[in-house]
């Protein structure tokens, strides 16, 4: 071969190379499409397993697979008789598969899918070494049959059965919204109410820029109203900053609530219970042990307007602050909010204020410019029954020592503000166990990390020796407990954040079987609201540290606590629990059905009852449930970030086993200090109290709260290095 022929052959070889590369791309594209279609076929086969009458032979013929291939994809379609399967399981040398039967055996247990265990790097900060160091073993994500030896059930008295998603047409209501009910941006401006502040113990009234003394008589509602309106005519709202007149004579009643109800309904010739009218005027009294609301109208002209008597404690704990400081705190709160909302108005409660401020952040452009749809009443009821609030748990011996070496309290600063950046929006998509099993592992992880709510069966792994991770339902006041016994199993509902943590925690992944769930679209309906509230909170927090006047520093601090209440109770308002309505009926007349009697005198019977869900355009329990779930997960495991980089962790799982004593919504108490940095940002763990020396373990929440107070006092006396 000469040089010319060699050069020509090289050129021809390059052309052939290009043709081969093009052909390889075609084959790769075809293989990718084939893999996609094959995976789609597998998902559909697995989905058919959810139909009770599905038969492997028919599915095999329709899919072009063998019966054996169908059974490998969807074990529930195995046509082998149960007796033969049992005999085969008992005979380890049996390898021959029995002949297929024409009918599949009925499945007694619900279809489930085992969620994958998720790995995560170990914590970066120096933390106590985990007590258990077990490798994470990948698990199958196909539907699994019930195990022969059932794990031990949770040893808690009075288990409570939670609702599940029904099948058929009834289930469609759980993937729907309420027709004609949408959260829209308001087209009106709230009207401010004439407000005064009253120290009922000292008889001191702060009205506008004046402070006057008033004679309150016996401090009944009628006497308070007469005194205030004589001094400040036109007053529509009275905040009691000290004195709590509704607790007068409480020793005569069996409960504090009875005493409050009796005070609210004290007979008066001049005043009657307000019946309510207009956009912002509620009817009737609200009976609460410590923060009641009394609504009154003149008996001679009940339609002429009303005046409320409320507790300052709805907004913040005055903690000894005088009435002038409380008034200044309210003024600073309004000024801080006005910097972020031009039309901000302080309404009667933090909940009302929070919801009104949120409504003024509803977008005017984009997908949700027309407002956010309200879920169906059935779905709201499900979320109400299955979405718990903050975690409150006292951990008792022998899980912790009888005598605690110390009691150290950490509180998450402005905790819920950290969890508002993402929330579920729109109509949820129902995910069955079969559909979850048919997902790839990447799709499963994405679903768990998205805005979601899952019905799961949980098994605590052998060797677990730390706190519980997921809530289990029980009857009684507690409603939810957090099992931690190795080998225990329970069925519950939990948010995606908690389920993901159970599968990915750095100590040991839990076994989680998906029974079903609801997958929402990820959105940001609360993000702008949260950003503005955080900015107002930061402004007031800085003012409370830098202002030159001590009274104004205190007022700014109280105002920052009020911003926290606006967010906390505003979020709770989205949950839209079933309405609790109170009223009175003359003695001798028939009471409405289903009422609870609160009080009775010679003239009237005072009662309350649940009135179900209202057509509230701002009812979004999906938002409250998602934020609460994220906050509960952060009590166990919270990331410290610098930009997008995770630089460390905090939370109960990063403390030594046996050191966690108490969980309280947004704080935890332990027996030793932790190396968790405090930066003053929302969600950070602040050292709040430290009680030293041997401490007898509290046997009740009341005892714990008493010790907590002592620990805060001791830390304040000694100072803190945080």
């Amino acid at each position: 071969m000469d040089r010319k022929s060699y050069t020509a052959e090289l050129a021809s070889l390059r052309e052939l190379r290009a043709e081969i590369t093009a052909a390889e791309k075609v084959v790769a594209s075809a293989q990718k499409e084939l893999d996609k279609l094959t995976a789609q076929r597998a998902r559909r086969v697995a989905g058919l397993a959810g139909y009770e009458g599905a038969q492997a032979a028919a599915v095999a013929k329709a899919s072009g697979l063998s019966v054996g291939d169908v059974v490998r994809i969807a074990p529930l379609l195995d046509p082998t008789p149960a007796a033969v399967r049992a005999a085969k399981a008992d005979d380890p040398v049996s390898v021959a598969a029995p002949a297929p039967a024409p009918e599949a055996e009925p499945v007694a247990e619900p279809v489930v899918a085992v969620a994958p265990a998720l790995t995560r790097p170990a914590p970066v900060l120096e933390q106590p070494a985990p007590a258990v160091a077990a490798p994470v073993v990948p698990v199958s994500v196909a539907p699994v049959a019930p195990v022969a030896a059932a794990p031990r059930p949770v040893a808690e008295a009075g288990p409570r059965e939670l609702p599940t998603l029904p099948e058929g047409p009834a289930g469609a209501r759980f993937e729907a919204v309420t027709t004609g009910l949408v959260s829209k941006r308001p087209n009106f401006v709230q009207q401010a109410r004439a407000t005064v502040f009253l120290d009922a113990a000292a008889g001191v009234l702060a009205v506008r820029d004046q402070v006057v003394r008033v004679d309150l008589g016996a401090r009944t509602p009628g006497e308070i109203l007469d005194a205030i309106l004589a001094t400040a005519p036109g007053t529509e709202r009275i905040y009691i900053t000290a004195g709590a007149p509704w607790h007068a004579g409480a020793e005569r009643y069996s409960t504090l609530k009875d005493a409050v109800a009796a005070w609210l309904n004290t007979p008066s010739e001049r005043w009657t219970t307000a019946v309510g009218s207009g956009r912002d005027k509620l009817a009737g009294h609200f009976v609460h042990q410590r923060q009641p609301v009394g609504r009154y109208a003149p008996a001679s002209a009940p339609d002429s307007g009303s005046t409320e008597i409320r507790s300052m404690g709805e907004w913040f704990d005055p903690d000894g602050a005088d009435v002038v400081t409380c008034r200044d705190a309210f003024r600073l709160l309004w000024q801080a909010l006005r910097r972020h909302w031009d039309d901000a108005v302080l309404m009667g409660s933090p909940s009302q204020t929070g919801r009104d401020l949120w409504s003024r952040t509803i977008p005017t452009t984009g997908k949700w410019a027309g407002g956010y749809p309200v879920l169906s009443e059935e779905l709201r009821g499900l979320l109400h029954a299955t979405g718990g609030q903050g975690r409150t748990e006292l951990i008792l011996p022998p899980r912790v020592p009888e005598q605690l070496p110390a009691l150290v309290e950490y509180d998450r600063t402005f905790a819920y503000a950290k969890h508002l950046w993402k929330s579920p929006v729109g109509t949820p998509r129902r995910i069955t166990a079969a559909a979850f099993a048919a997902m790839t592992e990447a799709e499963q992880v994405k679903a768990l990390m998205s805005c979601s709510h899952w019905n799961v069966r949980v098994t605590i792994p052998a060797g677990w020796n730390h706190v519980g991770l997921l809530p289990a339902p029980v009857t009684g006041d507690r409603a939810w407990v957090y099992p931690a016994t190795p080998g225990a199993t329970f069925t519950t509902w939990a948010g995606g954040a908690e389920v993901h943590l159970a599968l990915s925690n750095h100590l040991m992944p839990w076994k989680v079987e998906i029974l079903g769930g609801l997958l929402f679209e990820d959105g940001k309906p609360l993000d702008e609201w949260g950003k503005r509230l955080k900015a107002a909170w930061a402004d007031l927090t800085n003012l409370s540290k830098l202002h030159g006047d001590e009274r104004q520093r205190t007022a700014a601090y109280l105002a920052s606590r009020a911003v926290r209440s606006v967010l906390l109770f505003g979020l709770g308002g989205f949950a839209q629990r079933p309405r609790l309505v109170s009223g009175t009926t003359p003695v001798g007349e028939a009471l409405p059905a289903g009422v609870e009697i609160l009080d009775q005198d010679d003239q009237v019977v005072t009662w309350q009852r649940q009135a179900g869900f209202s057509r509230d355009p701002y009812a979004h329990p999906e938002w409250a449930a998602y934020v609460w779930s994220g906050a509960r997960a952060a009590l166990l495991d919270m990331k410290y970030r610098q930009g997008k980089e995770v630089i460390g962790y905090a939370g109960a799982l990063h403390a030594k086993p046996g050191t966690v004593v108490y969980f309280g919504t947004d704080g935890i108490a332990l027996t030793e200090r932790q190396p968790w940095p405090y930066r003053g940002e929302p969600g950070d763990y602040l050292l709040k109290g430290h009680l030293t020396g041997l401490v007898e373990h509290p046997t009740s929440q009341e005892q714990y709260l008493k010790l907590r107070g002592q620990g805060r006092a001791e830390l304040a006396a000694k100072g803190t290095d945080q």
Side-chain angles (χ1 to χ4, degrees), residues 248-267:
E251 66 278 359
R252 301 196 305 268
Y253 298 89
S254 57
T255 68
L256 200 56
K257 194 171 185 178
D258 290 342
V260 171
W263 183 86
L264 290 170
N265 292 286
T266 303

Side-chain angles (χ1 to χ4, degrees), residues 336-356:
L337 293 175
R338 288 287 277 199
R339 285 194 285 272
H340 304 283
W341 280 275
D342 293 338
D343 50 359
V345 171
L346 297 181
M347 302 176 69
S349 70
S351 176
Q352 292 172 296
T353 304
R355 192 170 72 170
D356 181 69

Side-chain angles (χ1 to χ4, degrees), residues 445-475:
V445 173
K446 182 179 179 181
L448 292 171
M449 296 185 70
S450 298
C451 296
S452 52
H453 194 56
W454 300 98
N455 186 200
V456 293
R457 186 163 62 208
V458 182
T459 302
I460 303 173
W464 183 260
N465 68 341
H466 221 297
V467 298
L469 304 185
L470 294 172
V474 293
T475 56

Side-chain angles (χ1 to χ4, degrees), residues 511-531:
K511 179 182 179 183
V512 178
E513 299 170 279
I514 302 295
L515 304 175
L518 295 164
L519 184 59
F520 290 83
E521 178 183 342
D522 291 352
K524 292 182 174 294
L526 304 178
D527 187 46
E528 180 63 26
W529 180 65
K531 286 178 179 177

Side-chain angles (χ1 to χ4, degrees), residues 360-639:
R360 298 172 192 280
T361 66
I362 295 175
T364 56
T365 59
K367 181 176 181 179
W368 305 108
Y372 295 97
V374 175
L375 301 178
S376 68
E377 186 169 332
E378 290 83 352
L379 186 46
R380 280 182 280 155
L382 176 75
L383 290 166
H384 165 62
T386 61
Q389 298 189 30
R391 178 173 181 170
T392 302
E393 181 187 18
L394 178 63
I395 300 176
L396 299 173
R399 292 172 58 191
V400 290
E402 291 279 359
Q403 286 193 320
L404 309 176
L407 189 64
V408 184
E409 178 199 0
Y410 286 90
D411 184 72
R412 294 188 67 217
T413 297
F414 205 23
Y416 286 169
K418 187 177 177 64
H419 304 284
L420 302 177
W421 65 278
K422 182 175 76 170
S423 302
V425 290
T427 308
R429 177 164 62 98
R430 179 177 181 176
I431 305 294
T432 63
F436 187 86
M439 295 178 179
T440 65
E441 184 169 321
E443 290 172 333
Q444 291 176 337
V445 173
K446 182 179 179 181
L448 292 171
M449 296 185 70
S450 298
C451 296
S452 52
H453 194 56
W454 300 98
N455 186 200
V456 293
R457 186 163 62 208
V458 182
T459 302
I460 303 173
W464 183 260
N465 68 341
H466 221 297
V467 298
L469 304 185
L470 294 172
V474 293
T475 56
D477 294 338
R478 295 181 65 190
W480 302 93
V481 295
Y482 294 82
T485 305
T489 185
F490 58 96
T491 300
T492 190
W493 283 82
E498 293 170 281
V499 175
H500 185 268
L501 176 62
L503 294 164
S504 66
N505 74 85
H506 64 283
L507 299 179
M508 180 183 291
W510 286 26
K511 179 182 179 183
V512 178
E513 299 170 279
I514 302 295
L515 304 175
L518 295 164
L519 184 59
F520 290 83
E521 178 183 342
D522 291 352
K524 292 182 174 294
L526 304 178
D527 187 46
E528 180 63 26
W529 180 65
K531 286 178 179 177
R532 297 189 195 184
L533 288 177
K534 283 188 284 188
W537 171 81
D539 292 344
L540 291 166
T541 299
N542 290 334
L543 188 63
S544 71
K545 298 174 182 177
L546 301 176
H547 201 288
D549 181 78
E550 183 179 355
R551 181 191 294 276
Q552 291 303 303
R553 287 199 302 272
T554 301
Y557 170 75
L558 295 177
S560 72
R561 300 298 292 171
V563 175
R564 175 184 179 274
S565 296
V566 168
L567 188 149
L568 182 68
F569 294 112
L571 181 66
F574 289 126
Q576 205 256 313
R577 304 293 181 180
R579 292 174 297 159
L580 196 63
V581 177
S582 61
T584 58
T585 301
V587 173
E589 293 187 11
L591 295 174
V595 302
E596 174 192 357
I597 297 176
L598 298 178
D599 187 44
Q600 180 174 344
D601 57 26
D602 295 337
Q603 298 179 355
V604 298
V605 177
T606 303
W607 48 262
Q608 69 179 14
R609 67 173 176 178
Q610 284 195 350
F613 293 97
S614 64
R615 280 184 61 84
D616 184 352
Y618 299 112
H620 290 285
E622 69 276 22
W623 298 347
Y626 185 75
V627 172
W628 289 335
S629 174
R632 291 194 300 267
L635 276 183
L636 300 166
D637 178 46
M638 190 198 79
K639 299 178 178 65

Side-chain angles (χ1 to χ4, degrees), residues 35-47 62-65 73:
D35 292 343
K36 179 180 177 182
L37 295 173
T38 301
Q40 184 179 354
R41 177 175 63 181
R43 286 194 294 271
R44 292 188 177 184
V45 168
S63 62
L65 297 171
I73 295 172

Side-chain angles (χ1 to χ4, degrees), residues 6 25 39 72 107 162 195 234 295 314 324 334 378 432 461 472 479 489 492 509 550 583-584 717:
Y6 173 77
K25 290 181 178 179
R72 277 191 290 274
V107 179
L162 295 178
T195 302
R295 300 183 178 97
E314 292 185 71
V324 174
W334 176 76
E378 290 83 352
T432 63
T489 185
T492 190
E550 183 179 355
T584 58

